[in-house]
Amino acid sequence: MTVVVKGLLGRAGCTRMVQGGYNAVLAEPDSIDAHVVDTLAGGGWINDQELVWTLVNEAPGRVRELENRYGCFFDRHPDGRIHQKPFAGQTHDRTIHKGDLTGIEIMNRLTEQVWMRPSIRALEEHRAVELFLDGAGRVGGALVLDIRRGGFTAVRSRATLLAMGGGPTMYRVIACSADKAADGIALALHAGAPVKDMEMVQFHPTGLVVPNSLMTGALLEEGLRGAGGKLLNGTGERFMTRYDPARMERSTRDLVARACFTEVQEGRGSPHGGVWIDVSHLGAKTVEASFRGMVRRCRDFGRDLAREPVEVGPTAHFMMGGVVIDPSCRTAVEGLFVAGEDAGGIHGANRLGGNGVADSTVFGGIAGDAMADWIVGRAMPRLAGPAPEGAAELFTAPLGRREGENLYALQHRLREVMWEHVGLIRHASGLKTALREIEEIGQRTPAATVPDGAAFNLAWQDWLNLQNQVAAAWLITRSALERAESRGSHFRSDHPESGAELYNVLVASDESAGLRVWTEPVRLSRLSPDRVSQPAGVEVGD
Ligand SMILES: Cc1cc2nc3c(=O)[nH]c(=O)nc-3n(C[C@H](O)[C@H](O)[C@H](O)COP(=O)(O)OP(=O)(O)OC[C@H]3O[C@@H](n4cnc5c(N)ncnc54)[C@H](O)[C@@H]3O)c2cc1C
């Protein structure tokens, strides 16, 4: 088996960044039904109910497997039971954690498992750039670029899993790991797999605002608002009184994020284009004890969270949309499996905090088992199309080009367009403008200049990233145009209400028509929203 990782194994991607925790039903009075209903209500009822059912049923077993088989150790009560904390949008205390370093615990233990198995070849700082297909459309591996040396390797396989973590890095401000570029979504779409609900991008309200720093967008977690943190605009007004006077800062994440964004858009922002979060009234000692990590993070750039307001703003956090999969992680393309944030349908219009890492470990595990079964009796596919060396030439074309488009101007333009028109507040006219701009950026990107030298050429990596970010940006924008209603994280100022119909937006590449966009009614295979009592004030968290 070969594992290909764009960064360092166990170090790259978002799972390591997970602080809050992992949702699983372990004890009464919580129940599988309650977790399912919370997830569907949080997702605006457009989730794939079979995937939700699988997630919720499998999560408790995966937690036990992580502890008993792989050596993770989560926080416990004095009597030895695993501690589960309350998390936004959940009717029971369900979130398992290791302090606020849950992701590090999980990734360290799983990485050890990879290194101790000689049968696994790990290719670090390698990236998949294209999938191989045979004459019948079955995937037979990937063309992989060795980022360190700049050379290409053909990795042949009988079954291929894409778990590249989506990643809304086409936005100006991001909370997710910057190495991600929606590569998995672009690769799957190109190979013929449909994607769904790509318009559903989650924005977190309190990303740091640090002028001229890559720290901008990094999260200050939801617990600050939960503990009584106040949000103030540039005039010092506690502006949530105008958006949700009952719940104030504890309102739902999408609403708070939109409120912060509106304050800035309407000229009431802080000096660097955000708003302020103030927890100083809780007392410096309390803040330092309860939010040690956040205090330290703010101190790194000269702010004292315990004693003064800190500038924050909305940040692009997570993609709910992605590749259509079944509960075994199979896609419409033979031999191609998808899991984690690359997959669509699990979280619907909004992800519950704690369901993200449950998703990637549950479906990552299922994909591994399903692939092991699937390859039995199947031969390696015979590849069609150009030899791998021929395909590699397409990707090396910009190296050393002296005249052409400015790569970083195009990248900047894409991020601005997405932030302005396809961000927290959308409107048909802005989405159409964005679509035109994205298409133009997509046409100009291949002609961008990149310095010569293939080894560790980061500009070349950015050129490769930009093409996939443009592809995903188009999918997000076109799907947002198709969804003429507001639901969950998708808000249309020209259609501010949710419609009566529940539907999914799908896109697939079609040889004759380019990309085909259509809608399908949601299959309410297990529950219907009018037949269950909805949890009150559903909020979604980390
Ligand atoms: C700051 C932050 C805090 C979060 N906190 C929580 C939380 O408390 N609880 C929760 O449930 N969820 C949380 N989430 C969401 C959670 O992190 C994600 O749901 C989850 O980590 C996604 O896992 P994944 O395996 O799909 O992707 P990732 O863990 O992101 O892994 C993707 C991997 O694919 C690699 N890759 C990308 N492109 C390529 C390529 N072309 N070739 C080869 N490799 C490639 C990347 O390098 C990376 O190693 C948080 C997210 C962020 C950003």
Side-chain angles (χ1 to χ4, degrees):
M1 186 171 92
T2 302
V3 178
V4 177
V5 196
K6 207 174 186 181
L8 297 177
L9 190 72
R11 298 279 189 277
C14 288
T15 306
R16 197 178 176 81
M17 298 162 86
V18 166
Q19 300 165 356
Y22 186 127
N23 292 339
V25 176
L26 295 185
E28 287 183 338
D30 199 2
S31 68
I32 296 293
D33 286 355
H35 191 182
V36 168
V37 172
D38 289 350
T39 302
L40 294 174
W45 289 90
I46 62 164
N47 322 51
D48 179 320
Q49 297 196 356
E50 295 309 305
L51 296 180
V52 173
W53 186 251
T54 307
L55 171 80
V56 170
N57 274 283
E58 293 288 321
R62 286 292 170 210
V63 167
R64 287 189 197 101
E65 186 185 15
L66 284 168
E67 280 214 325
N68 301 342
R69 195 154 170 208
Y70 301 130
C72 290
F73 194 72
F74 299 115
D75 285 4
R76 304 187 112 70
H77 291 283
D79 65 5
R81 286 175 300 123
I82 292 180
H83 182 260
Q84 291 179 279
K85 61 181 173 181
F87 231 43
Q90 322 232 15
T91 45
H92 297 276
D93 295 0
R94 186 180 287 146
T95 308
I96 293 152
H97 61 105
K98 167 90 174 180
D100 60 0
L101 301 172
T102 312
I104 292 179
E105 175 74 352
I106 294 172
M107 287 309 286
N108 282 357
R109 300 293 81 80
L110 292 180
T111 307
E112 286 162 7
Q113 293 298 316
V114 174
W115 289 130
M116 70 193 269
R117 285 174 163 74
S119 59
I120 302 179
R121 177 173 63 142
L123 299 178
E124 294 184 284
E125 297 192 307
H126 281 63
R127 65 183 291 169
V129 291
E130 188 165 84
L131 295 175
F132 299 137
L133 293 172
D134 75 2
R138 177 181 157 195
V139 168
L143 181 68
V144 169
L145 166 61
D146 176 347
I147 296 171
R148 294 176 191 165
R149 289 186 308 108
F152 288 88
T153 311
V155 178
R156 306 279 316 278
S157 63
R158 286 181 287 168
T160 303
L161 171 66
L162 300 179
M164 298 175 178
T169 50
M170 65 295 289
Y171 285 91
R172 186 205 296 163
V173 185
I174 59 166
C176 62
S177 163
D179 61 324
K180 306 204 287 191
D183 290 351
I185 289 166
L187 287 171
L189 183 81
H190 194 217
V195 296
K196 79 194 290 188
D197 299 334
M198 287 296 295
E199 70 281 14
M200 297 302 178
V201 178
Q202 188 171 74
F203 293 86
H204 194 291
T206 54
L208 284 170
V209 174
V210 191
N212 304 317
S213 166
L214 286 176
M215 282 297 283
T216 288
L219 288 194
L220 283 191
E221 67 139 309
E222 209 119 283
L224 293 176
R225 287 189 290 123
K230 296 175 189 169
L231 288 170
L232 309 170
N233 66 16
T235 69
E237 181 202 6
R238 201 170 166 197
F239 58 87
M240 284 307 297
T241 48
R242 281 187 278 110
Y243 297 91
D244 189 346
R247 291 180 293 179
M248 298 291 286
E249 285 83 359
R250 291 182 192 172
S251 180
T252 57
R253 176 184 285 189
D254 53 341
L255 201 148
V256 179
R258 270 198 300 280
C260 297
F261 184 75
T262 306
E263 290 303 295
V264 177
Q265 292 294 99
E266 295 183 355
R268 295 185 294 275
S270 57
H272 302 106
V275 296
W276 300 100
I277 189 160
D278 188 5
V279 289
S280 58
H281 57 283
L282 302 177
K285 268 196 179 161
T286 308
V287 175
E288 281 168 350
S290 313
F291 302 106
R292 211 182 303 167
M294 309 286 125
V295 169
R296 213 175 288 158
R297 180 172 279 188
C298 290
R299 208 167 274 153
D300 282 347
F301 61 94
R303 304 299 302 191
D304 187 350
L305 179 69
R307 293 174 184 80
E308 61 181 358
V310 171
E311 245 176 320
V312 292
T315 176
H317 183 49
F318 182 89
M319 289 165 77
M320 276 74 68
V323 182
V324 177
I325 59 165
D326 73 6
S328 305
C329 298
R330 284 182 308 198
T331 67
V333 178
E334 226 195 327
L336 184 65
F337 295 73
V338 170
E341 197 174 330
D342 276 344
I346 298 155
H347 310 288
N350 237 334
R351 178 177 63 79
L352 285 185
N355 270 0
V357 66
D359 166 0
S360 43
T361 51
V362 162
F363 287 100
I366 288 175
D369 292 341
M371 289 162 75
D373 288 345
W374 193 83
I375 59 172
V376 175
R378 284 185 163 88
M380 194 68 91
R382 287 166 166 268
L383 299 184
E389 309 78 55
E393 274 172 30
L394 281 175
F395 298 105
T396 53
L399 285 175
R401 187 184 282 148
R402 287 178 196 284
E403 283 181 22
E405 298 284 347
N406 180 326
L407 174 66
Y408 290 103
L410 295 171
Q411 183 198 67
H412 176 76
R413 189 76 210 122
L414 179 70
R415 292 176 178 179
E416 294 300 310
V417 165
M418 291 302 287
W419 193 253
E420 294 303 327
H421 298 302
V422 202
L424 292 98
I425 298 179
R426 301 159 175 185
H427 186 282
S429 62
L431 292 171
K432 285 179 189 158
T433 304
L435 212 49
R436 279 194 300 276
E437 291 244 18
I438 292 164
E439 284 169 1
E440 194 195 319
I441 294 166
Q443 280 158 13
R444 289 166 60 184
T445 301
T449 59
V450 169
D452 207 0
F456 244 126
N457 183 336
L458 295 184
W460 186 28
Q461 299 311 316
D462 286 335
W463 181 82
L464 293 166
N465 286 342
L466 187 59
Q467 316 211 31
N468 292 337
Q469 286 159 332
V470 166
W474 191 94
L475 294 169
I476 294 169
T477 309
R478 181 63 187 81
S479 305
L481 203 49
E482 195 69 19
R483 188 175 288 283
E485 65 160 352
S486 293
R487 186 175 296 277
S489 61
H490 169 72
F491 184 81
R492 288 271 303 257
S493 58
D494 50 345
H495 296 280
E497 305 297 331
S498 295
E501 306 298 324
L502 293 171
Y503 60 91
N504 299 117
V505 178
L506 289 114
V507 186
S509 47
D510 180 322
E511 265 175 31
S512 54
L515 289 173
R516 189 166 74 87
V517 183
W518 74 101
T519 62
E520 280 178 9
V522 173
R523 212 165 63 84
L524 300 171
S525 56
R526 288 179 187 267
L527 287 173
S528 167
D530 47 20
R531 298 187 60 189
V532 292
S533 49
Q534 309 255 1
V538 167
E539 179 166 1
V540 286
D542 294 343

